[in-house]
Amino acid sequence: MTFLLTLLMTFILVLVALLLFIRFGTPFYQLKKDNVVTLLTMVVDGQATENDWQVFLGVPIRHNDRLEAVRLQCCEISNREYIGGSSLLTAKGIDEIRLLLAELEGEDE
């Protein structure tokens, strides 16, 4: 009898957990133009961390083709001009990011 009660309680607990997961889904985060502008500004000002930069470069932006194009351009710049440390990029790389930033700020959403 104890075995059946334990089995029933386990089944109910798993069922409730599954229903909660289905109801609330998995969390997701979508980068917006403002987020990208803020990050690029931080890179230009020397305030971005390596972690900020690597996460931005490593996570595809599937919901916005323009922001994905900017991310890919940043990947190319990083491949050529990355030096690590506090400044992240060479002076030439910072200038290229500054141009991307100006272009992105000038666009309408």
Side-chain angles (χ1 to χ4, degrees):
M1 184 67 180
T2 305
F3 174 73
L4 289 177
L5 187 59
T6 304
L7 185 64
L8 178 65
M9 293 303 288
T10 303
F11 178 75
I12 290 172
L13 182 68
V14 169
L15 183 63
V16 168
L18 285 175
L19 289 174
L20 285 173
F21 289 139
I22 289 171
R23 170 74 174 116
F24 294 107
T26 57
F28 64 93
Y29 179 67
Q30 288 187 348
L31 283 176
K32 296 183 176 145
K33 179 182 169 184
D34 294 340
N35 303 118
V36 175
V37 166
T38 300
L39 175 68
L40 295 182
T41 302
M42 288 172 61
V43 169
V44 168
D45 294 342
Q47 297 173 343
T49 65
E50 279 191 58
N51 191 44
D52 295 333
W53 186 242
Q54 294 303 329
V55 167
F56 172 67
L57 296 179
V59 178
I61 304 172
R62 294 189 173 102
H63 65 280
N64 187 316
D65 292 337
R66 177 62 186 129
L67 294 180
E68 176 63 6
V70 168
R71 187 189 72 82
L72 291 174
Q73 287 176 300
C74 288
C75 287
E76 291 174 14
I77 293 168
S78 186
N79 286 338
R80 289 189 322 265
E81 307 296 332
Y82 182 78
I83 57 174
S86 60
S87 64
L88 295 179
L89 301 169
T90 64
K92 181 181 176 189
I94 296 292
D95 288 341
E96 291 180 42
I97 294 295
R98 191 174 285 119
L99 290 173
L100 265 178
L101 179 60
E103 185 179 309
L104 192 59
E105 287 176 327
E107 294 176 357
D108 292 334
E109 285 195 50

